[in-house]
Amino acid sequence: MNVVDITDEEEFIKNFKKQFEYARETNKTFKEMVEPIISHTNSTIFCEKTDLSPATFSRFKIPVNEKTGEQYKPSVQALVAFCVGYEIDLPNAIAIRRSYGYTFNITDPVEYAYMYLITHYSGRPISECNALLKKLGIEGKFLLRENSK
């Protein structure tokens, strides 16, 4: 890319629009990333794979509140359960989390454990993931949401 002379407003605006469109094309929204994964499933299958609630399935399926326009931002626990249940690899899990403005903190032992689960426990039952988290000393609200309401 060429450096734009910011004194030329017209060129600056043109370049801004071009770069912004490129960013939009290469960075998908949460809905755009999740929809292809769950479009061929139903609430029952989603709940079986993730141990998340039917209400959470609805939020994943329609992640924008129609009344407020606010985007659903799943908890890290719900996202990890989703990624483990649907066997989504770590780079894609990171991209999905980034799509709603968050990232994993590799210096946080809990979040590092979540990344480790996504990498090494993909496809396993959430109960097994939680048993492993407990063995790592991770308890309570930091466990993946089993049958969350």
Side-chain angles (χ1 to χ4, degrees):
M1 288 262 129
N2 295 336
V3 176
V4 176
D5 179 5
I6 61 171
T7 59
D8 181 353
E9 275 186 29
E10 211 171 285
E11 188 64 28
F12 179 84
I13 292 168
K14 177 182 164 189
N15 195 56
F16 169 82
K17 288 178 179 179
K18 177 181 173 186
Q19 292 300 319
F20 182 69
E21 190 57 37
Y22 177 72
R24 287 182 50 188
E25 289 174 11
T26 59
N27 293 283
K28 297 184 185 292
T29 66
F30 176 75
K31 180 180 175 150
E32 291 169 332
M33 295 191 78
V34 171
E35 192 170 48
I37 300 165
I38 62 171
S39 64
H40 305 303
T41 193
N42 60 41
S43 178
T44 302
I45 293 169
F46 177 87
C47 295
E48 287 172 2
K49 286 179 172 262
T50 65
D51 250 3
L52 297 169
S53 70
T56 302
F57 173 72
S58 295
R59 287 188 215 96
F60 268 73
K61 194 117 174 126
I62 305 170
V64 178
N65 183 316
E66 292 176 6
K67 293 178 184 172
T68 65
E70 189 174 309
Q71 182 169 324
Y72 170 62
K73 297 177 180 180
S75 68
V76 65
Q77 295 88 350
L79 179 65
V80 171
F82 173 73
C83 291
V84 168
Y86 280 89
E87 301 182 35
I88 297 166
D89 66 8
L90 185 58
N92 282 305
I94 291 168
I96 292 169
R97 191 147 196 239
R98 187 180 61 232
S99 76
Y100 59 94
Y102 292 96
T103 189
F104 288 98
N105 179 353
I106 65 170
T107 62
D108 180 292
V110 174
E111 292 204 9
Y112 194 85
Y114 294 156
M115 290 185 290
Y116 204 80
L117 284 176
I118 291 168
T119 302
H120 299 287
Y121 263 52
S122 189
R124 288 206 151 137
I126 299 304
S127 59
E128 285 184 26
C129 294
N130 280 336
L132 186 62
L133 288 172
K134 287 177 183 177
K135 287 180 181 177
L136 293 172
I138 299 167
E139 305 265 350
K141 70 179 184 177
F142 299 108
L143 295 176
L144 305 184
R145 303 283 205 269
E146 291 182 274
N147 299 310
S148 63
K149 303 289 182 235

